[in-house]
Amino acid sequence: AAGVIQSPRHLIKEKRETATLKCYPIPRHDTVYWYQQGPGQDPQFLISFYEKMQSDKGSIPDRFSAQQFSDYHSELNMSSLELGDSALYFCASSLGYLSGNTIYFGEGSWLTVV
Amino acid sequence: AQKVTQAQTEISVVEKEDVTLDCVYETRDTTYYLFWYKQPPSGELVFLIRRNSFDEQNEISGRYSWNFQKSTSSFNFTITASQVVDSAVYFCALSEAGSGGSNYKLTFGKGTLLTVNP
């Protein structure tokens, strides 16, 4: 079965640069979530979209922005990168924006800021 | 506010041993959902199970079983006859229904690193 696709899988950027992560949800899934997982940490919720509208916002820095497009794929844009932004970024998707719907995660994008 | 506690930071067992991973949660909602995810060394998060607050039936799937007890706010996960491939970080997570249904995001515990040695 098709899963959540994230690209790129690995990314190395320098401080103050910009990075863009892409996410393609499971077909027919209309809700996308972004999570950030620092080294040795649990995943932290950043932001979510339902039907192309932002539905919830977590601890996402102002330097980060995201959107969901008409084909339901999503992009996370990160500007003025800092060393502390180095993390594993997960995109996840679910069918419908209802509590309890199973949220399926992609394989993650490893961002290293040097 | 919702909170998930996984008190066991690391567990090490020998292959074929049974192991239980503990998860305790806090929530003010009467409707909520509990999840377990597995994160192997390769990094991906693999969904294992979802349980809603109204269903306290225990569940068994192969070597995996889950014990949900609302009275103690616990949702423990047991692996029977562990195998080396079970080595991973296991996360317990909580999702609340929230007012107006707005709190759908997952709140994760800190995770338990399980190492199964041959």
Side-chain angles (χ1 to χ4, degrees):
Chain A
V4 177
I5 305 298
Q6 292 187 243
S7 67
R9 294 294 316 283
H10 298 270
L11 193 60
I12 300 175
K13 290 288 186 178
E14 294 188 354
K15 283 193 304 184
R16 292 180 288 277
E17 283 193 321
T18 297
T20 298
L21 305 182
K22 294 186 178 183
C23 169
Y24 296 86
I26 292 172
R28 295 192 301 114
H29 280 195
D30 49 18
T31 305
V32 168
Y33 312 78
W34 286 97
Y35 283 78
Q36 177 193 57
Q37 185 180 24
Q41 302 296 313
D42 54 295
Q44 295 293 313
F45 172 73
L46 293 179
I47 196 167
S48 63
F49 294 87
Y50 169 64
E51 283 292 344
K52 292 150 278 184
M53 299 288 290
Q54 180 181 309
S55 49
D56 201 357
K57 195 172 181 180
S59 50
I60 184 169
D62 292 340
R63 300 177 288 107
F64 292 11
S65 65
Q67 62 182 109
Q68 186 180 30
F69 294 87
S70 57
D71 63 350
Y72 295 100
H73 94 272
S74 178
E75 294 184 3
L76 176 66
N77 298 293
M78 300 173 285
S79 62
S80 302
L81 287 169
E82 302 172 357
L83 295 178
D85 295 328
S86 295
L88 178 57
Y89 289 82
F90 284 107
C91 176
S93 73
S94 67
L95 177 61
Y97 193 56
L98 292 174
S99 177
N101 282 356
T102 299
I103 299 176
Y104 295 94
F105 287 79
E107 294 185 324
S109 292
W110 293 89
L111 171 65
T112 302
V113 181
V114 297
Chain B
Q2 55 191 16
K3 184 179 178 181
V4 177
T5 301
Q6 295 180 254
Q8 305 149 308
T9 306
E10 295 186 36
I11 299 176
S12 182
V13 298
V14 177
E15 209 170 15
K16 296 184 184 177
E17 283 186 18
D18 298 346
V19 58
T20 295
L21 309 181
D22 298 333
C23 172
V24 174
Y25 61 91
E26 295 177 27
T27 176
R28 296 178 191 169
D29 276 18
T30 55
T31 301
Y32 52 89
Y33 298 82
L34 296 162
F35 302 78
W36 276 95
Y37 287 86
K38 173 183 179 180
Q39 187 172 41
S42 51
E44 71 269 28
L45 275 172
V46 179
F47 165 77
L48 295 178
I49 190 171
R50 178 190 72 191
R51 173 69 69 214
N52 74 57
S53 54
F54 299 107
D55 182 3
E56 286 194 73
Q57 280 192 338
N58 293 329
E59 182 157 339
I60 298 174
S61 176
R63 297 183 297 106
Y64 295 170
S65 62
W66 291 269
N67 184 298
F68 176 30
Q69 292 195 341
K70 288 181 72 172
S71 60
T72 56
S73 297
S74 65
F75 186 43
N76 296 336
F77 172 31
T78 297
I79 302 175
T80 303
S82 60
Q83 300 177 0
V84 173
V85 293
D86 295 327
S87 297
V89 177
Y90 290 86
F91 289 99
C92 181
L94 169 69
S95 173
E96 293 176 330
S99 58
S102 63
N103 286 333
Y104 302 138
K105 60 183 180 292
L106 292 173
T107 295
F108 287 84
K110 296 299 182 185
T112 297
L113 172 61
L114 173 65
T115 302
V116 181
N117 300 295

